[in-house]
Amino acid sequence: MPAPLGPEEVRRQLADLVQRGRALEGEGLPFPSASLETGIGTALSYGSVEQAVTLLRRGEALYTVAARDWGWVRETLARADELRRLAVEVGLDLQHLDSRVGDPREQLKAETLSAASLGRAGASASLAVAVLSDALPKLCVQEAQKLGETIRSARNRGEDVRDVVSRFSKLLLAVQDHQLVQGARLLVEVRRAVARIPRAPTVALPSEEEEEILIEARNLARRIQKIKSRARNAQGAARLMTQVRAALSEERRTGSPEEEIEALWSEVDRLTKERAGGSPESEAGVASPFGTVDDPGLPDDGPGADGTDAPDGSSADVLAPSRRDRLRR
């Protein structure tokens, strides 16, 4: 039977236990070194050597269990922490993991240290490793598909993607070889490289002025269509429409689009009034800044009825060529 310990021997063994316990604390294990030191010191101050020895023996037993199980728990926790950091870097949502597993380190700190608490912490860390080891490769594959499409689109429009393609090839190899950590880190690198590729130019929306011009052009087309429906000579109306289409599709442009629209309206109004009034000028061909027109309603035997030139040699063009590239849009 061992001899009973005196106060000095208890203090010496307590100092050794506290030193070893704080070494475990430095590795992340919440060993109760301070509590043991306070409790045993209080018992000795009151002269209760037996109570101090009891507390000392409990502390030594706890240290033995912790030193035995802490090795594998520590490695599992470190693996879970590493995968958790990678998950945050690649943008994996950890809400489901936290609700299912929780934080093993926080669980270990919240409970009183014992063999059972160490076992529960190790089990939680193992589950976290399993969940992250399954979720991270799936995320890498999904993101690699999206990045591959972006790289292909950039290459098709003529961007230099050689460096990005080289990084992307390494990512694919890491995913195929099930290199989880390497694959996640390469995914982050490829994302940054793809972000540096110049973006495709955006399609410019029509301005307010262009919208107004388009509306005016549509109104003008409707008015010309009405003139065609009222023409007494189908051949003359067809020539009118042909000349208007040619004017609208001409590449060259004189003046602003608004001025051209106003001029076309004025010309159409004048032609309408002349046709309705049957003025002598309409029978001989009317000269205008836009050209010359023969009245579509002329008698069959009159000048210009068969599509030939008027007596003065002018052509039957209704509108001079105008440059309206904006109207054509």
Side-chain angles (χ1 to χ4, degrees):
M1 182 175 181
L5 300 178
E8 294 300 326
E9 182 64 21
V10 171
R11 289 190 178 93
R12 187 187 66 77
Q13 293 186 14
L14 174 62
D16 180 64
L17 176 61
V18 168
Q19 182 179 3
R20 288 179 290 159
R22 285 178 176 168
L24 293 180
E25 289 183 48
E27 297 177 357
L29 177 66
F31 190 81
S33 303
S35 299
L36 286 172
E37 191 174 18
T38 301
I40 294 174
T42 302
L44 290 176
S45 65
Y46 283 102
S48 181
V49 179
E50 293 182 0
Q51 182 181 3
V53 171
T54 301
L55 292 176
L56 178 63
R57 296 293 179 251
R58 290 178 181 177
E60 290 177 344
L62 179 61
Y63 176 83
T64 301
V65 172
R68 180 193 65 198
D69 297 339
W70 174 239
W72 72 270
V73 174
R74 178 185 58 206
E75 293 178 359
T76 308
L77 287 172
R79 178 65 173 172
D81 291 341
E82 181 184 22
L83 294 180
R84 192 180 185 90
R85 287 192 297 269
L86 288 175
V88 172
E89 290 181 9
V90 300
L92 181 64
D93 186 9
L94 297 178
Q95 183 177 0
H96 174 68
L97 175 67
D98 292 337
S99 61
R100 180 180 175 185
V101 180
D103 191 340
R105 287 190 182 276
E106 294 299 326
Q107 294 173 3
L108 184 61
K109 293 178 181 178
E111 298 181 17
T112 302
L113 182 62
S114 64
S117 65
L118 277 172
R120 285 191 293 270
S124 297
S126 299
L127 181 57
V129 170
V131 172
L132 291 174
S133 298
D134 179 66
L136 280 172
K138 292 180 179 179
L139 177 66
C140 289
V141 171
Q142 294 174 358
E143 291 295 315
Q145 291 175 348
K146 297 177 183 178
L147 292 171
E149 294 175 0
T150 303
I151 295 171
R152 186 184 301 111
S153 300
R155 183 189 60 188
N156 292 340
R157 67 173 179 264
E159 301 292 345
D160 184 7
V161 294
R162 288 174 293 181
D163 179 65
V164 183
V165 169
S166 176
R167 296 174 184 268
F168 185 72
S169 300
K170 295 179 181 179
L171 170 61
L172 294 181
L173 290 175
V175 172
Q176 292 173 358
D177 294 340
H178 303 286
Q179 299 177 6
L180 184 57
V181 177
Q182 183 69 8
R185 291 173 179 170
L186 287 172
L187 175 60
V188 175
E189 292 182 7
V190 173
R191 277 179 177 171
R192 293 172 180 170
V194 170
R196 290 192 292 267
I197 299 177
R199 301 293 93 183
T202 56
V203 179
L205 297 177
S207 63
E208 183 178 354
E209 179 184 3
E210 292 174 337
E211 290 289 348
E212 293 177 358
I213 294 173
L214 290 174
I215 293 174
E216 298 293 347
R218 295 188 187 101
N219 293 336
L220 176 61
R222 284 194 288 269
R223 294 186 64 181
I224 294 176
Q225 186 65 27
K226 291 180 180 178
I227 294 174
K228 178 181 178 181
S229 63
R230 292 196 302 264
R232 293 188 299 271
N233 187 311
Q235 186 178 6
R239 286 199 301 271
L240 172 65
M241 293 302 298
T242 300
Q243 297 301 326
V244 170
R245 290 193 184 99
L248 292 175
S249 62
E250 180 61 37
E251 291 291 340
R252 295 166 299 173
R253 179 164 59 90
T254 57
S256 66
E258 294 84 352
E259 294 173 350
E260 293 182 73
I261 290 175
E262 292 298 331
L264 286 171
W265 272 1
S266 299
E267 183 67 12
V268 171
D269 289 339
R270 184 182 64 78
L271 293 174
T272 303
K273 292 177 182 179
E274 290 178 356
R275 185 179 298 108
S279 60
E281 291 82 358
S282 64
E283 299 179 359
V286 181
S288 73
F290 296 93
T292 310
V293 63
D294 55 341
D295 187 358
L298 288 175
D300 293 340
D301 56 350
D306 56 352
T308 58
D309 293 341
D312 58 354
S314 61
S315 64
D317 291 346
V318 176
L319 301 175
S322 63
R323 310 167 189 86
R324 49 185 72 254
D325 51 332
R326 299 176 71 179
L327 283 177
R328 192 171 68 255
R329 292 196 301 269

